[in-house]
Amino acid sequence: MDWARFAQELASMARDLLAQESVDATLARITGAATELVEGCDAAGILVLHGKEVRTLAPTDQLVVDSDRLQERLGEGPCFDVAHTENGERVFRIRDFTREQPGWPEFAPQAHRLGVGSMMGFLLYTEDEELGALNVYSHRPGAFTEASELAGWLLASHAAVAFSSARTQAQLEQAVSTRHLIGEAMGILMGCHHLTEEQAFDVLRRYSQENNIKLREVARRVCEEGPLS
């Protein structure tokens, strides 16, 4: 492993991550970097759990999607465990899928039939939140070494911060957009029905609650279709 070259490429990736324009672009840069920087990596993706539902983000290969779907269907697997952990392992490495894996007796042989020879996973987390797991795959058994694991852990550490930052920025942008949309809808109601700001907002809020529709969606309808009937 050429660590001097790795450090330069990791620094370049870190700068690129901050320059991405969306969460999706940030995640794609992370998984793409994994295939470039982690020796032995043929494919990478990010697995996020919502209860027992699995979401696959920025996969570089169909193999990643198939593996995640398999873990979701079986309810077991290393990526599933890492993304769902609270105090357990934050890194895992399965060296050889041709051998029995007692921890995942159903997943391992079926994953091998999908084309997985070896894999690693790294919890993406910051001090405030856990975000999912960065998972890397190789078609070959024994492809990942101690150096590969260290490189993956360093990459995941940078990726977690970038992922969190990109998501926060996206949430702020959505909040600003929602506030503008609601303000525009209130203006329409005030003009049409001679309401005060407080009264116009109350109309939107009550319609949202009574019809179980998000306030942003109610505001969008008013802006597109006119006052509520």
Side-chain angles (χ1 to χ4, degrees):
M1 183 74 177
D2 185 345
W3 288 109
R5 175 175 170 273
F6 174 84
Q8 291 177 343
E9 293 185 356
L10 187 64
S12 176
M13 182 213 69
R15 290 191 294 270
D16 287 348
L17 287 177
L18 295 176
Q20 300 304 313
E21 297 182 352
S22 67
V23 174
D24 288 344
T26 299
L27 298 182
R29 184 67 181 91
I30 291 168
T31 55
T35 63
E36 299 167 3
L37 300 180
V38 179
E39 288 185 348
C41 177
D42 294 320
I46 292 171
L47 179 148
V48 177
L49 283 178
H50 294 278
K52 294 185 178 180
E53 179 185 353
V54 171
R55 292 180 60 203
T56 304
L57 307 178
T60 65
D61 191 274
Q62 184 61 36
L63 175 65
V64 179
V65 179
D66 293 342
S67 174
D68 288 352
R69 295 284 84 73
L70 176 62
Q71 292 185 75
E72 180 180 42
R73 180 168 59 82
L74 297 175
E76 70 170 48
C79 309
F80 195 95
D81 291 351
V82 168
H84 213 226
T85 190
E86 293 182 358
N87 300 308
E89 292 295 325
R90 295 183 181 272
V91 178
F92 76 84
R93 175 158 49 113
I94 301 178
R95 293 171 174 80
D96 188 348
F97 270 81
T98 64
R99 298 182 179 181
E100 183 179 355
Q101 302 295 331
W104 309 289
E106 293 188 70
F107 168 73
Q110 294 186 53
H112 179 56
R113 287 195 288 272
L114 290 176
V116 180
S118 51
M119 64 185 297
M120 297 189 296
F122 307 89
L123 190 67
L124 292 179
Y125 71 100
T126 63
E127 292 182 356
D128 299 321
E129 58 187 335
E130 294 184 349
L131 304 170
L134 170 65
N135 304 304
V136 298
Y137 298 80
S138 176
H139 297 298
R140 296 180 294 107
F144 299 123
T145 63
E146 295 290 338
S148 300
E149 185 173 317
L150 178 57
W153 179 79
L154 291 170
L155 172 63
S157 298
H158 281 277
V161 175
F163 186 4
S164 179
S165 176
R167 191 165 64 175
T168 299
Q169 180 64 28
Q171 289 169 344
L172 288 173
E173 290 175 355
Q174 183 178 36
V176 171
S177 175
T178 296
R179 183 175 179 179
H180 176 77
L181 192 64
I182 292 174
E184 186 175 345
M186 288 171 57
I188 292 172
L189 294 178
M190 290 166 64
C192 290
H193 300 299
H194 306 290
L195 303 176
T196 65
E197 286 188 14
E198 184 177 351
Q199 290 171 332
F201 181 76
D202 192 53
V203 169
L204 295 174
R205 180 183 57 78
R206 283 190 287 106
Y207 191 93
S208 171
Q209 293 175 343
E210 292 171 0
N211 295 277
N212 194 29
I213 302 173
K214 289 184 178 181
L215 187 60
R216 174 185 173 85
E217 176 61 19
V218 175
R220 185 192 64 78
R221 290 187 183 181
V222 171
C223 293
E224 293 181 356
E225 302 172 10
L228 300 168
S229 58

